[in-house]
Amino acid sequence: MTRLTALLSVSDKTGIVDLARALHALDVRLVSTGGTAALLTEAGLPVTEVAALTGFPEMLDGRVKTLHPAVHGGLLARRELPAHLAALQQHGIGLIDLLVVNLYPFEATVARAGCTLDDAIENIDIGGPAMVRSAAKNWRGVAVLTDPAQYAGVLAELQQQGAVSEATRFRLAVAAFDRISNYDAAISDYLSALRPDGTRSEYPGQSNGRFVKLQDLRYGENPHQSAALYRDLHPAPGSLVTARQLQGKELSYNNLADADAAWECVKSFDAPACVIVKHANPCGVAVAPTLVDAYAKAWATDPTSAFGGIVACNRPLDEATARRIGEHKQFVEVLIAPAFDDGALALLKPKANLRLLQIALDGVTREGTAWQRGRNAHDVKRIGSGLLIQSADNHELTRAGLRVVTKRAPGDAQLDDLLFAWTVAKYVKSNAIVFCAGGATLGIGAGQMSRVDSARIAAIKARNAGLSLAGSVVASDAFFPFRDGLDVVVDEGAAGVIQPGGSVRDDEVIAAADERGIGMVFTGVRHFRH
């Protein structure tokens, strides 16, 4: 059997010595470049420098070393074509059967604070991507490894069968082109975001989305639509796409959309919390000292809408909460929690169709970037032949951000409820009106063209659930343009209101609040959610 040749040239040296040692044990000839060659030589492995193949030393501070026919001819020659093999023999070029390359760390470089354009440019790899493309194009004859995670599988095939299978070579080629695509996209994102003064725009001149398909879905929002689930190349910790499904049917498009709405909302609370979502809107939200009490309060908001909903908890689901869900005989599509205890799993196991999603919150912080907090940095909406991209609504309101605008100032307990109501309103489709009391929603009005209609619907929901709105507070996701909306919520029993303010009729609305004897605070921020 002809002796195999491997060319190794890596920026990330993880596992490369062990790989080279194993290849040498299989009598694979090792060829390498620069720092990789020095590392392998230091490890006592016989290595042929690329310069010996090309007849040229590395040039221009290492910028030119593998851009040569002796390298690319060995990668691109088709083994089944006699003319290709004859050309190699004529020019004294040997075949390269295995290419191990990972690229200069461009993404890590530009992610560092203080990175300059010169730093970025020096970390744009040229020879590496060229070799990877050559090898991946010729995948029938060459195996190309671009990630240390691939080393073990390829070695196992070489050790067991003396060759890398065709299926594996094709899979490695696809991964290689994916890597090149992501690398080039990162360069484009960075360079096209640079302003003339050297600062970076939040929005690059060309948007290069990078997503990995997780699965095909049975259908989209409706059965006549097709769909698939993708995740970010580097997903935020604690985000929905990191979930592990413990039981239940396959998730649908609508399940995933609603589950995301529920999970993002419930993560917003520090205290034990439960959120129930139906058709992308919360129909019940509550916090309490225990998870079982939070669930009970959330369910009580709107038991009718809760049927067939998504339930999300920000604490491990315990047996008591699982039992309470069963006692309500509530049909639940998806149940989400950071963990499930054994008692809860035992109770839920007979519900074979119930989907259980476990989403670990390890590594999610309250500080740092949106990504570190398990949130998207940007939101994207598809429009006709285009995209709308915006920074995500990650604003977090504290008491210090409130401005009391009425003669009556809310007390501490009322302020807690106002902030709670405001957090819930952020996740309700506009126009949003949310009645709350005691850390629980009482009535939610969503998605109406008129804010007054949303207020009336929220009150109807509360009455249908048998809940009193007397002494409650109300959050409005945007300002009241007239006093009529405020009058409706006060007529229903509201004693406090939180809203952004900013209307040309703010004075009229403030006067109405004083007339009705309620407290009102302005946030200066609105939460439209279309």
Side-chain angles (χ1 to χ4, degrees), residues 428-452:
V428 178
K429 298 289 187 179
S430 300
N431 287 310
I433 294 290
V434 181
F435 284 88
C436 297
T441 50
L442 300 175
I444 299 173
Q448 299 304 304
M449 290 70 77
S450 161
R451 192 161 300 279
V452 172

Side-chain angles (χ1 to χ4, degrees), residues 2 63 99 117 141 147 319 340 383 399 409 423 430 480 499:
T2 305
R63 286 188 175 204
L99 178 71
L117 177 58
D147 189 320
E319 184 175 348
F340 294 79
I383 59 173
R399 286 195 182 192
T423 299
S430 300
F480 287 101
Q499 60 135 318

Side-chain angles (χ1 to χ4, degrees), residues 13 50 63 108 170 197 213 222 232 324 346 350 372 414 522:
K13 305 294 194 292
V50 163
R63 286 188 175 204
F170 181 74
D197 65 359
K213 189 168 85 168
N222 301 291
D232 280 326
R324 180 63 66 90
Q372 290 166 330
Q414 197 174 51
F522 281 4

Side-chain angles (χ1 to χ4, degrees), residues 224-418:
H224 65 276
Q225 296 171 268
S226 61
L229 170 64
Y230 287 77
R231 68 158 173 79
D232 280 326
L233 187 61
H234 302 292
S239 53
L240 181 67
V241 295
T242 66
R244 184 163 68 97
Q245 185 169 349
L246 303 183
Q247 74 169 50
K249 296 188 297 184
E250 179 185 345
L251 289 158
S252 72
Y253 180 99
N254 292 328
N255 290 154
L256 288 161
D258 287 350
D260 186 62
W263 184 241
E264 290 302 307
C265 183
V266 83
K267 285 194 302 182
S268 299
F269 300 102
D270 291 321
C274 180
V275 173
I276 305 174
V277 162
K278 189 72 171 288
H279 294 303
N281 277 300
C283 59
V285 182
V287 293
T290 65
L291 187 61
V292 65
D293 288 339
Y295 165 75
K297 290 163 68 177
W299 179 84
T301 302
D302 190 351
T304 301
S305 297
F307 185 85
I310 307 305
V311 177
C313 306
N314 67 351
R315 294 289 192 278
L317 191 86
D318 53 24
E319 184 175 348
T321 306
R323 191 175 302 281
R324 180 63 66 90
I325 293 172
E327 289 170 354
H328 284 153
K329 293 183 170 51
Q330 180 186 352
F331 167 52
V332 178
E333 288 275 9
V334 183
L335 187 51
I336 313 170
F340 294 79
D341 72 22
D342 292 341
L345 288 173
L347 283 173
L348 298 170
K349 187 174 182 180
K351 300 177 185 292
N353 290 333
L354 171 60
R355 304 160 177 93
L356 300 186
L357 295 186
Q358 180 174 321
I359 307 179
L361 289 174
D362 299 340
V364 179
T365 69
R366 284 291 177 185
E367 307 299 328
T369 64
W371 188 88
Q372 290 166 330
R373 289 179 287 159
R375 296 177 177 172
N376 294 329
H378 294 92
D379 286 336
V380 178
K381 181 175 290 187
R382 195 78 163 97
I383 59 173
S385 296
L387 294 175
L388 292 172
I389 304 177
Q390 64 174 348
S391 59
D393 185 3
N394 291 327
H395 182 269
E396 295 181 353
L397 187 66
T398 64
R399 286 195 182 192
L402 299 176
R403 180 164 67 94
V404 178
V405 294
T406 49
K407 295 174 183 176
R408 180 177 176 181
D412 285 345
Q414 197 174 51
L415 281 172
D416 286 341
D417 276 336
L418 287 167

Side-chain angles (χ1 to χ4, degrees), residues 109-110 112-122 190 194 198:
T109 298
V110 299
R112 290 199 298 263
C115 172
T116 66
L117 177 58
D118 286 343
D119 293 334
I121 294 297
E122 284 306 309
Y190 175 82
L194 289 178

Side-chain angles (χ1 to χ4, degrees), residues 6-29:
L7 171 53
L8 297 82
S9 179
V10 294
S11 175
D12 177 2
K13 305 294 194 292
T14 303
I16 194 65
V17 172
D18 290 338
L19 173 66
R21 189 173 285 119
L23 291 173
H24 176 61
L26 293 169
D27 196 31
V28 175
R29 180 190 181 206

